[in-house]
Amino acid sequence: PCSVAASPHGKLPEQSQSEAWMQTTDALAGRSVSAAEVLAFYQQLGVSTDGGLMPHFKSQQHTTNDVVRAALIPATRCDGGGVAYADLIRAERAASSEDLPHRMVTHEWRNLFSHLVAA
């Protein structure tokens, strides 16, 4: 929550907008998942035992949207809401590994999830 009062026009003062922008930018820049973490998540897909996600997963059928809806969102639910998967993973990482990402891989919701993992 922002501790700066809004201006009469419903906007934050110029200085505060810049500070809020930078805080948000820094938080998003640090929200990352390593290639190893993506592979670990992928290995849980299609597994029907405890700890497995989306037991019906088929790599040549299911899209990124399918995996997000059937595996990722349920896996990140907590306390009546949810958390970003990257934030959940970051909480499990060693403190020394919290550096900024070196690469960015983007995705298209309708593409196969296996193609995203391969990228």
Side-chain angles (χ1 to χ4, degrees):
C2 185
S3 61
V4 178
S7 74
H9 302 291
K11 295 183 180 179
L12 294 174
E14 190 69 32
Q15 178 71 18
S16 297
Q17 282 182 355
S18 177
E19 289 172 17
W21 178 268
M22 289 308 297
Q23 287 176 348
T24 300
T25 301
D26 288 345
L28 291 174
R31 188 179 277 180
S32 63
V33 178
S34 72
E37 291 161 343
V38 170
L39 290 173
F41 175 82
Y42 187 76
Q43 289 175 332
Q44 295 177 54
L45 296 173
V47 176
S48 59
T49 60
D50 286 342
L53 300 171
M54 197 174 166
H56 62 283
F57 175 74
K58 304 278 187 257
S59 64
Q60 295 303 312
Q61 176 184 342
H62 289 103
T63 65
T64 298
N65 185 62
D66 297 333
V67 172
V68 168
R69 302 285 177 225
L72 200 57
I73 291 173
T76 57
R77 277 195 193 121
C78 63
D79 300 328
V83 297
Y85 185 71
D87 292 340
L88 185 67
I89 291 299
R90 185 179 337 158
E92 297 174 4
R93 282 188 209 145
S96 62
S97 67
E98 292 189 33
D99 57 341
L100 292 175
H102 301 283
R103 303 280 188 276
M104 178 184 164
V105 176
T106 189
H107 63 281
E108 208 313 310
W109 290 93
R110 296 170 293 183
N111 288 343
L112 293 177
F113 185 70
S114 59
H115 292 181
L116 170 62
V117 173

